[in-house]
């Protein structure tokens, strides 16, 4: 399972933020190959770890890599949108709802997924249009590009991919149906995007692939659900950390954290704040932390990372 080992992004910053949490369990809600988890277990011998991942290959790799830590570790297959249910199901000697002291979300695809063309995440080469993080789920990228309406495709590509040529791309995808491979999709995008735009700003299909991947894996809805569960799992002094890699994810995290902290000035006009959810956390960084230039030089995939963290406050008592 060496193929699933990769350099964890902003590892130093993550470890520093988790160094102060009380003894208990840390949930790595996107354990991947176990990179962050391994470093945390080494640096904090007083904590246990519950790792979750929707990719079965990642689960197997993390179990192998973290086996030396024995019963301090439990790795399970699942999605972080079900984090509360998973914590309840896995409750045991080290894990319970009352001793969750840290929750880490490291969002997006990981290097091993991108580096394996057969998974269909990358626009380089030719592979099946898959893009599923969990191979047990039904929806694939091939279904999205061949069965969604043109209007729905345009909406997804514009919203998830923030692609200004979304309508043109959706029109070309529909005209080129059926599409079966990543090369078919790349070809449709290149036909739709004007030549001057294709020559700047990276690969012309990057945003479209991102948008379809996010649709296949319900990334934004799952993130919202996972975040909303996470804050209520944490014990006082526990911390939730989120590593996001594009603006939609980071915006959602920023809004959720601001809502829980009651920081109205952080929220867009009209953003609802339920009174019972104000004052749940304190923000540990008002601005998202970013990787150092040295880390970006060593690991270019870290370039877009944004790290936010919040600490759970003690429950308020009535007067």
């Amino acid at each position: 399972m060496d193929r699933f080992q990769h350099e964890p992004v902003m590892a130093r910053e993550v470890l520093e933020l988790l160094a102060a949490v009380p003894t208990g369990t840390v949930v790595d809600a996107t354990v991947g190959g176990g990179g962050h988890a391994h470093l945390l277990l080494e640096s904090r011998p007083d904590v246990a770890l519950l790792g979750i991942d929707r990719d079965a290959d990642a689960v197997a790799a993390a179990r192998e890599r973290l086996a030396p830590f024995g019963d301090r570790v439990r790795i399970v297959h699942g999605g972080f949108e079900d984090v509360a249910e998973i914590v309840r199901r896995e409750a045991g000697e080290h894990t319970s709802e009352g001793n969750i002291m840290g929750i880490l979300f490291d969002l997006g695809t990981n290097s091993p997924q991108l580096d394996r063309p057969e998974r269909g995440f990358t626009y380089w080469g030719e592979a099946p249009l898959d893009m599923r993080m969990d191979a047990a789920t039904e929806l694939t990228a091939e279904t999205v590009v061949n069965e969604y309406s043109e209007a729905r495709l345009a909406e997804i590509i514009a919203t998830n991919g923030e692609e200004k040529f979304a309508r043109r791309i959706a029109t070309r995808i529909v005209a080129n149906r059926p599409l079966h491979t990543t090369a078919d999709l790349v070809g449709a995008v290149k036909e739709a995007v004007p030549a001057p735009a294709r020559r700047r700003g990276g690969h012309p299909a990057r945003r479209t692939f991102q948008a379809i991947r996010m649709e296949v894996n319900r990334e934004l809805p799952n993130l919202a659900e996972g975040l909303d569960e996470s804050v209520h799992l944490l014990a006082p002094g526990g911390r939730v950390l989120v590593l996001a890699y594009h603006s939609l994810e980071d915006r959602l995290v920023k809004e959720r954290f601001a809502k829980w902290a009651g920081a109205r000035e952080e929220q867009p006009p009209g953003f609802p704040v339920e009174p019972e959810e104000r004052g749940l956390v304190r923000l540990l960084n008002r601005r998202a932390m970013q990787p150092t230039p040295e880390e970006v030089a060593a690991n270019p995939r870290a370039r877009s990372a944004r790290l936010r963290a919040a600490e759970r406050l003690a429950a308020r008592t009535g007067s």
Side-chain angles (χ1 to χ4, degrees), residues 29 52-54 76-84 86 134 222 226 229:
I52 303 169
D53 207 285
R54 67 180 72 251
V76 299
H77 182 238
F80 55 65
E81 67 275 13
D82 299 318
V83 62
I86 292 170
D134 182 352
N222 286 346
E229 291 191 354

Side-chain angles (χ1 to χ4, degrees), residues 200-237:
R200 61 178 184 271
H203 197 288
R206 178 177 60 86
R207 293 179 181 274
T208 298
F209 269 65
Q210 170 186 295
I212 294 172
R213 185 205 77 213
M214 292 174 68
E215 171 68 12
V216 168
N217 296 288
R218 294 189 74 251
E219 292 181 32
L220 289 177
N222 286 346
L223 175 58
E225 293 167 19
L227 285 174
D228 288 341
E229 291 191 354
S230 71
V231 70
H232 297 290
L233 289 173
L234 288 172

